[in-house]
Each structure stands twice: as structure tokens, then as C-alpha cells.
Amino acid sequence: MLTCYRTRRRIGAYLDGALGGRESDVTNAHLATCLRCHAELDALRRLSAMLGRVVPSPESLEWTGFWEGVRRGIEEGRGKAAATPWTARWRHPRLIVGTAAALAVVALVVLWQAPRAPLTPPAAAAISVSSADTDHPRGTVMIYSPPEKDLAVVWVFDLD
């Protein structure tokens, strides 16, 4: 089990020929006896062959303008990032739609919880106001009562 673990970690280096003499011999001996590790070696060989057909080798690529393009891209990125940090965030449609939905939900909750005022104002004559004299020469009692409720508000005024 431990030998399989070590061998699997070394298979890439084994295929590249990067293992030393002793490590290469031990890996080769284990691959000759273990079917699972040998199957992984074959799979990596097939993958390497496939990649060799699809990806060109680094020697065949044109590298003369590579670093100049990297430098130019970094300099252009610095100018844009510093110039528009907030406006760049609003270019994402999901952010705009999410913000609009959140504001709509907040508006609905506020309107739903708001107290509902009657459509027609109550008539001023519906409230009865009475006043009464007291034994105190400078005191007055006023009673306010709406007709639809059994409620009376009594105020006592004293001018002293």
C-alpha cells in the first residue's frame, strides 16, 4: 500500500526521466508487479500522447512579443482599475437585478406595514365637546367624546 502511494507520486517524474538511479529502479520494479500502478502509468502515457498531438511544443511558438504584451496588459489594467472602481461594479447585470429586487421587497414590506388612513376624513361634528363649571372660581372642565367609541377625555384647566 505504501509502495503504491510512493510509486504513484513518482510516475510523472518516471515518465519524464527525472528520477535518479535507485528511485527509477524501485519504481520500475514496482510497476512490473502492480497492475493498478501499471494501469495508471499507461493512462498517463496516453494522456501525454494526446496532449502532444493537441498542444504545440513551446519551441514552435513565437515568443518575441510575449513579454511586451504582458507588460502592456499590466499597464493598461492599472489605468482602468484606478479610474473606474465603482462604475465597473455596476456593469454586472446580476448585481443590478438583485439590488432592484431587494429594494422592491423593502418597499412592499414598508407599504404593507404602514397604517391605513381612512379614505374620507371624519366629520368635525361627530366629536362632541362639552364644558362644565367647577366649584373653583378659575377652573374649567372640558369633555371630548367621539360617538363611535365609548371613550371620554376629561381635561381640567386651572388658570393659577
Side-chain angles (χ1 to χ4, degrees), residues 54-121:
V54 176
V55 179
S57 67
E59 294 84 23
S60 65
L61 295 175
E62 178 63 37
W63 293 95
T64 56
F66 177 75
W67 291 113
E68 180 60 29
V70 170
R71 185 190 58 76
R72 191 174 347 123
I74 291 171
E75 288 176 357
E76 287 174 3
R78 283 183 189 161
K80 289 180 184 177
T84 58
W86 288 101
T87 57
R89 293 182 186 166
W90 288 104
R91 291 183 187 153
H92 300 289
R94 280 189 263 164
L95 182 63
I96 295 170
V97 171
T99 303
L103 289 174
V105 168
V106 168
L108 286 174
V109 168
V110 167
L111 291 175
W112 180 61
Q113 294 294 327
R116 288 169 181 70
L119 296 177
T120 58

Side-chain angles (χ1 to χ4, degrees), residues 3-34 37-45 48:
T3 309
C4 288
Y5 174 74
R6 287 183 186 157
T7 301
R8 286 193 188 132
R9 290 191 54 164
R10 294 178 185 163
I11 287 177
Y14 177 77
L15 280 174
D16 293 338
L19 290 181
R22 170 123 173 86
E23 289 178 330
S24 179
D25 293 340
V26 170
T27 303
N28 194 17
H30 180 76
L31 289 171
T33 59
C34 181
C37 292
H38 191 72
E40 189 166 338
L41 175 70
D42 288 339
L44 284 175
R45 280 186 181 149
S48 178

